Amino acid sequence: MQEKQPRPTSFDVARRAGVSQSAVSLVFGGKAEGRVGKRTQEAILQAARELGYHPNRAARTLRSGRSRIVALVVPDVSNPYFAAVLQGAEEAARTSGYSVLLAQLHEEQDWQHVVLDALTSRAVDGFLFCTLQPPSESIAQVLQGKAIIVDETYQGLPSLQLDVETGMQAAMEHLIHLGHRRIAHLGAAVDATSFHQRHHAYQAALHQAGLSFPADYLARAAFTSADASRAAHQLLTCPEPPSAIVCDSDVLAVGVYKAARALHRSIPRDLSVVSFDDSIIASMLDPELTTVAIPARTIGAQALALLLQALEEGTAPASLTIPLTLMIRASTAQPAG
Amino acid sequence: MQEKQPRPTSFDVARRAGVSQSAVSLVFGGKAEGRVGKRTQEAILQAARELGYHPNRAARTLRSGRSRIVALVVPDVSNPYFAAVLQGAEEAARTSGYSVLLAQLHEEQDWQHVVLDALTSRAVDGFLFCTLQPPSESIAQVLQGKAIIVDETYQGLPSLQLDVETGMQAAMEHLIHLGHRRIAHLGAAVDATSFHQRHHAYQAALHQAGLSFPADYLARAAFTSADASRAAHQLLTCPEPPSAIVCDSDVLAVGVYKAARALHRSIPRDLSVVSFDDSIIASMLDPELTTVAIPARTIGAQALALLLQALEEGTAPASLTIPLTLMIRASTAQPAG
DNA sequence: CTGAAAGCGCTTACAG
DNA sequence: CTGAAAGCGCTTACAG
């Protein structure tokens, strides 16, 4: 290990252990059981340890066609939600001997070719996609058996779904039980199924409770607290302002807090706030935020498990749905008066 | 592209373009200038396009010994700071044709062997290390020319330094100018150079201003707002409580906000707060947080640039120091009375 | 249970 | 400027 360039190969290990190179390969490939004798295996491991041998990944990949690397495709890792998904995925990958490569797609429309490159150059075995525009049909074809879509569905690619409807329903029931009748929705200005689902479930809940939905009870904001603040201000200054606001994400709730403070409305006395995520932000806000928890780390881990299932067993895994739980904290209360 | 298994190789491209396989390799390896005629190059690119050819990464890596993958080693990506470093690193890597693999080290003491594995198996070309215990001497040896340390120094490995001292000095001068005389330090209970530097600079600034430093003006907290809240409570309830608190990180500042609220101290009227990071948290807090910005994304990008310099040019890059800037917001004001 | 051999798809001297 | 050939270090049938 200290000399220059020992960089031992399986041949070196074989020579030292007095066995064939194939035996070494079998042992390190985990295919030794019933093929290589116990003693031989031990001799091989011993020799490998002495030499500091590790199989060359590139050679293995070239020969087997599998890199044991998967790519996580997200728009932006600095978003705490995606960072947590990545964290879960990395942990799950590691326990299975895989590694996770990050692929951020910022604004790129042409992400499809990035994916194709990675695949045809055999750099990665598979993909985890998080909230992106769905792939074109021809790409979806190529991705069969090599990709899991998180929180979207497309073209029969297996996916990890979030039970957003039930989550929103729980949030709305909570508010309605508290006595709220004027409930507005601050949505994310993102064209993704998950956000459409939130709005549909919101409307369904209103309808079921026999509540009305004035046109000015819907606002949309980009994924920043600044824009959310602007949108919330609009909601709070309409003729008959809501007593509660449901937000699509914790980041948006931050904007609501800011707008409320600027307008001298106290949370939760004058205004109740519920959102989605339960990111680090939720317990940092004051009062702490009532929010529908999206267990991002678990999602990353589960999605990765599905992907490995597809990759290793070749079985198209059934899509999985993750339930969401409402975390009731201090930002919701009975409406004043 | 639509048939099963076309998966063209450089031989297929060569055949189609009517040239030798080596010419194809030269073109895709970026070594064609002066070695392959312009026309030939175009013919090759054309043929490759038609076949949907991409060089096989594994073969390239096996032959050349370089994977064009680097690993980012961090304790925890769900921390917004590390997520931002990763973001910057990934962006910089991509523009140079590299990819970033994530290696989280949670609590593992034995990270050294993880690193060695990755290196001897030739899975990655190099490493970016973020705030970890320094490597043992023998490992540092192996890492020569293949690693950049962020915000630490060790064993002559090149590093990206943050000018923490100057940052802290700016924070302290700001408070002192405002008229504060009783300034406490809420530090991170993490044994890393960066945090030691913060405390030293804090003391130096007090000393320079002729201010005293009572023993109960130092508290340490784990990296959670809950623990920081506990520590801040302690600071705020000591016999002669401080009028300002300097925190090692935004996350800790959140704890101070919580403790202050619980004790009915208003920020900034009764208490000024300054911290380090300028993460998303800073502008989410109310009032917005005065903080020494640590440009994590830039740091990731710069560290990656240094690493590539070491990897590609073989020159040990000089260590680089990043200046830090104080962002003055609404959490600091003149002390009351 | 063990070994000899082919070959994955490139890069890179080397010869022309 | 171009081509033939060796070889990177494995995995995997295949023969014993």
Side-chain angles (χ1 to χ4, degrees):
Chain A
M1 198 93 81
Q2 20 236 26
E3 304 97 286
K4 270 250 174 288
Q5 299 289 67
R7 202 67 81 189
T9 72
S10 55
F11 281 93
D12 299 322
V13 175
R15 197 175 309 122
R16 188 176 190 105
V19 301
S20 77
Q21 181 270 336
S22 0
V24 176
S25 179
L26 254 15
V27 169
F28 279 89
K31 302 194 172 160
E33 270 354 278
R35 317 255 279 112
V36 180
K38 264 271 168 259
R39 296 183 111 96
T40 315
Q41 289 192 41
E42 271 158 30
I44 289 170
L45 290 174
Q46 175 62 22
R49 223 172 295 123
E50 288 165 12
L51 294 171
Y53 169 75
H54 290 279
N56 181 308
R57 288 268 186 172
R60 188 174 261 188
T61 300
L62 176 57
R63 194 48 241 248
S64 68
R66 320 227 10 240
S67 65
R68 298 184 79 84
I69 294 177
V70 301
L72 175 72
V73 185
V74 296
D76 172 13
V77 244
S78 72
N79 178 320
Y81 169 71
F82 294 124
V85 171
L86 171 56
Q87 174 173 49
E90 199 271 345
E91 288 162 359
R94 171 131 43 153
T95 65
S96 301
Y98 277 73
S99 300
V100 177
L101 209 64
L102 175 65
Q104 286 188 106
L105 290 181
H106 323 91
E107 298 297 306
E108 312 183 45
Q109 276 318 315
D110 60 340
W111 61 274
Q112 323 236 357
H113 90 103
V114 175
V115 167
L116 268 189
D117 280 19
L119 214 49
T120 64
S121 70
R122 322 223 96 213
V124 305
D125 292 343
F127 297 90
L128 246 44
F129 288 99
C130 285
T131 49
L132 291 162
Q133 302 313 312
S136 76
E137 192 163 340
S138 69
I139 304 283
Q141 198 69 24
V142 179
L143 288 176
Q144 284 297 347
K146 299 185 192 306
I148 302 290
I149 317 285
V150 175
D151 200 14
E152 272 288 347
T153 39
Y154 195 72
Q155 292 280 358
L157 289 174
S159 59
L160 193 75
Q161 297 297 323
L162 310 184
D163 193 354
V164 165
E165 270 100 352
T166 307
M168 178 58 94
Q169 200 177 320
M172 293 296 286
E173 278 171 8
H174 171 59
L175 291 172
I176 291 166
H177 264 109
L178 286 170
H180 290 276
R181 294 293 172 267
R182 304 194 312 279
I183 306 174
H185 182 205
L186 174 48
V190 174
D191 182 26
T193 310
S194 187
F195 298 114
H196 300 325
Q197 288 174 336
R198 285 164 170 70
H199 192 63
H200 290 154
Y202 158 79
Q203 286 187 302
L206 283 183
H207 188 259
Q208 200 188 327
L211 298 177
S212 66
F213 171 49
D216 51 7
Y217 272 23
L218 171 64
R220 295 210 180 278
F223 236 92
T224 67
S225 59
D227 198 47
S229 176
R230 175 203 55 71
H233 193 278
Q234 194 178 307
L235 288 174
L236 292 172
T237 53
C238 75
E240 200 168 2
S243 65
I245 298 181
V246 177
C247 305
D248 276 359
S249 157
D250 288 353
V251 173
L252 302 182
V254 172
V256 175
Y257 273 59
K258 291 193 172 183
R261 186 177 184 97
L263 293 166
H264 303 292
R265 313 264 175 104
S266 160
I267 296 171
R269 206 194 56 212
D270 308 325
L271 178 69
S272 285
V273 183
V274 185
S275 81
F276 278 74
D277 276 355
D278 196 22
S279 67
I280 37 164
I281 299 168
S283 50
M284 281 179 181
L285 286 173
D286 196 350
E288 294 194 354
L289 187 60
T290 295
T291 183
V292 177
I294 300 185
R297 188 168 169 179
T298 304
I299 287 168
Q302 298 259 34
L304 199 109
L306 284 182
L307 180 57
L308 292 194
Q309 190 182 323
L311 252 30
E312 309 222 300
E313 289 156 34
T315 65
S319 291
L320 209 72
T321 298
I322 304 264
L324 305 183
T325 319
L326 178 66
M327 308 295 291
I328 298 178
R329 298 215 181 82
S331 66
T332 45
Q334 295 184 1
Chain B
M1 200 95 79
Q2 23 236 26
E3 305 97 285
K4 271 250 176 283
Q5 298 291 67
R7 201 69 79 189
T9 72
S10 55
F11 281 93
D12 299 324
V13 175
R15 198 175 308 123
R16 188 175 191 108
V19 300
S20 76
Q21 180 270 335
S22 1
V24 176
S25 180
L26 255 13
V27 169
F28 279 89
K31 303 192 171 160
E33 268 357 278
R35 317 254 279 111
V36 180
K38 263 271 167 264
R39 293 186 114 96
T40 315
Q41 289 192 40
E42 271 159 30
I44 288 170
L45 289 173
Q46 175 62 23
R49 222 172 297 122
E50 288 165 11
L51 294 172
Y53 169 75
H54 291 279
N56 180 310
R57 287 270 186 172
R60 185 174 266 189
T61 299
L62 176 58
R63 194 51 239 249
S64 68
R66 319 229 8 241
S67 64
R68 298 183 80 84
I69 294 178
V70 300
L72 175 72
V73 184
V74 296
D76 171 13
V77 243
S78 72
N79 178 319
Y81 169 69
F82 294 123
V85 171
L86 171 55
Q87 175 174 49
E90 200 272 343
E91 288 162 0
R94 170 130 46 152
T95 64
S96 301
Y98 278 73
S99 299
V100 177
L101 209 63
L102 174 66
Q104 285 188 106
L105 290 181
H106 324 90
E107 298 298 306
E108 313 183 47
Q109 275 320 316
D110 61 338
W111 62 272
Q112 321 235 358
H113 89 103
V114 175
V115 166
L116 268 189
D117 280 19
L119 214 49
T120 64
S121 70
R122 324 221 97 213
V124 306
D125 292 343
F127 297 90
L128 245 43
F129 289 99
C130 285
T131 50
L132 290 163
Q133 301 315 313
S136 76
E137 194 164 336
S138 70
I139 304 283
Q141 198 69 24
V142 179
L143 288 175
Q144 284 297 348
K146 300 184 190 309
I148 302 290
I149 317 285
V150 175
D151 200 15
E152 272 288 346
T153 39
Y154 196 73
Q155 292 283 358
L157 289 175
S159 59
L160 193 75
Q161 298 297 323
L162 310 184
D163 194 354
V164 166
E165 269 100 352
T166 307
M168 177 60 94
Q169 202 178 318
M172 292 297 286
E173 278 172 8
H174 170 58
L175 291 173
I176 291 167
H177 264 111
L178 284 170
H180 291 274
R181 294 293 172 266
R182 303 196 312 279
I183 306 173
H185 181 205
L186 174 48
V190 173
D191 181 25
T193 310
S194 187
F195 298 114
H196 300 326
Q197 288 174 335
R198 285 163 171 70
H199 192 63
H200 291 152
Y202 158 80
Q203 287 187 302
L206 283 184
H207 188 260
Q208 201 188 328
L211 297 178
S212 65
F213 170 48
D216 51 5
Y217 272 23
L218 170 62
R220 296 212 181 278
F223 236 92
T224 67
S225 59
D227 197 47
S229 175
R230 175 201 55 71
H233 192 279
Q234 194 179 308
L235 289 174
L236 293 172
T237 53
C238 75
E240 200 167 2
S243 66
I245 297 180
V246 178
C247 306
D248 276 0
S249 157
D250 288 353
V251 173
L252 301 182
V254 172
V256 175
Y257 275 58
K258 290 193 173 184
R261 186 176 183 99
L263 293 166
H264 304 292
R265 313 263 175 103
S266 160
I267 297 171
R269 206 194 56 210
D270 308 324
L271 179 70
S272 285
V273 183
V274 185
S275 79
F276 278 75
D277 276 354
D278 197 22
S279 66
I280 37 164
I281 298 168
S283 51
M284 282 181 181
L285 285 172
D286 195 350
E288 294 194 355
L289 186 61
T290 294
T291 182
V292 178
I294 300 184
R297 188 169 170 178
T298 304
I299 287 168
Q302 297 260 34
L304 199 109
L306 284 182
L307 180 57
L308 293 194
Q309 191 181 322
L311 253 29
E312 309 220 301
E313 288 156 36
T315 64
S319 290
L320 208 73
T321 298
I322 304 263
L324 305 184
T325 321
L326 178 66
M327 309 295 289
I328 298 177
R329 298 216 180 82
S331 66
T332 45
Q334 294 183 1

